[in-house]
Amino acid sequence: AQSVTQPDIHITVSEGASLELRCNYSYGATPYLFWYVQSPGQGLQLLLKYFSGDTLVQGIKGFEAEFKRSQSSFNLRKPSVHWSDAAEYFCAVGGTYKYIFGTGTRLKVLA
Amino acid sequence: NAGVTQTPKFRILKIGQSMTLQCTQDMNHNYMYWYRQDPGMGLKLIYYSVGAGITDKGEVPNGYNVSRSTTEDFPLRLELAAPSQTSVYFCASSPAGGGTAEKLFFGSGTQLSVL
């Protein structure tokens, strides 16, 4: 069965520090992988996606993610976090017809 | 561009009441989805549809019903509201579904409280 695991429920970083949010997936075939961000009281916005080719994917707002098939991972990274990045981040896998989401990681940014 | 529109934005129900959450999209997407979001649980798929007249259960369908009579509309019905259905509900659509690289387009959500 398709599943997504985000092991970190909460992460706190200082503004300007680097960030890595972890995502592990379970899927039988080549997965379609997504990262979404949800600001407080808002819907979800796509940050980036992977479907084939280069395993390092660039997204909006300076985010990038690396697909590692051997580790079944799709971790999200940002070199320097801004206070406006405080939000909840969701990893998702696209399976047959459906999209399955992880439980999310809530990011807090310290000034 | 309206995109995906959900109504209402907020609602309080009494236990045992029924209601319909409305969702409509103007992008001619075949695939539509209902998710519920609970703190620490992420988004759980309730029901989805791959086209008018075709619906299927997701991860947490109990207590809900859906219909898809047109491409544009995908209402979610709660027949006998229970406190466990207190949640934020999101409707989403996609042009080609989860087995592709197409993203989901989300509505702004409905916050439902059952008391």
Side-chain angles (χ1 to χ4, degrees):
Chain A
Q2 304 147 16
S3 66
V4 176
T5 302
Q6 293 181 248
D8 303 307
I9 298 174
H10 294 97
I11 283 186
T12 299
V13 300
S14 297
E15 191 171 19
S18 63
L19 172 70
E20 181 168 28
L21 302 182
R22 296 183 291 166
C23 172
N24 293 97
Y25 67 90
S26 174
Y27 189 67
T30 299
Y32 296 95
L33 296 162
F34 306 82
W35 274 101
Y36 287 84
V37 60
Q38 184 183 34
S39 298
Q42 303 295 314
L44 278 75
Q45 179 185 19
L46 180 71
L47 282 175
L48 48 79
K49 62 183 178 183
Y50 170 80
F51 56 96
S52 69
D54 195 346
T55 56
L56 187 63
V57 180
Q58 302 297 320
I60 62 171
K61 305 185 179 186
F63 285 92
E64 66 179 25
E66 186 171 13
F67 170 62
K68 293 185 177 180
R69 185 187 300 277
S70 61
Q71 299 178 19
S72 296
S73 69
F74 189 55
N75 294 349
L76 182 70
R77 300 195 295 247
K78 187 170 185 178
S80 178
V81 170
H82 188 262
W83 63 267
S84 60
D85 294 324
E88 191 156 20
Y89 292 80
F90 293 94
C91 183
V93 63
T96 306
Y97 305 135
K98 300 180 288 189
Y99 300 82
I100 303 299
F101 284 80
T103 50
T105 298
R106 186 170 295 277
L107 175 65
K108 182 177 180 180
V109 180
L110 301 176
Chain B
N1 284 340
V4 179
T5 302
Q6 290 182 239
T7 56
K9 292 190 183 300
F10 304 94
R11 184 73 185 268
I12 298 175
L13 284 181
K14 294 183 179 178
I15 294 172
Q17 286 185 322
S18 61
M19 79 162 292
T20 299
L21 281 66
Q22 301 292 346
C23 176
T24 187
Q25 52 93 7
D26 63 357
M27 297 172 283
N28 201 35
H29 288 171
N30 282 324
Y31 294 78
M32 296 188 74
Y33 306 83
W34 275 106
Y35 289 91
R36 58 176 289 171
Q37 182 180 23
D38 302 295
M41 301 296 290
L43 279 78
K44 297 293 186 184
L45 182 64
I46 305 172
Y47 271 96
Y48 67 101
S49 169
V50 301
I54 307 170
T55 63
D56 205 351
K57 297 178 181 178
E59 303 165 275
V60 290
N62 291 344
Y64 306 94
N65 280 300
V66 293
S67 59
R68 184 94 183 271
S69 57
T70 66
T71 299
E72 294 78 20
D73 300 307
F74 190 40
L76 177 72
R77 179 126 180 114
L78 285 70
E79 291 293 349
L80 291 171
S84 60
Q85 293 177 306
T86 293
S87 188
V88 180
Y89 292 84
F90 285 99
C91 179
S93 73
S94 172
T100 71
E102 292 292 345
K103 71 174 187 178
L104 282 167
F105 292 76
F106 282 88
S108 56
T110 295
Q111 188 167 332
L112 176 67
S113 295
V114 182
L115 305 175

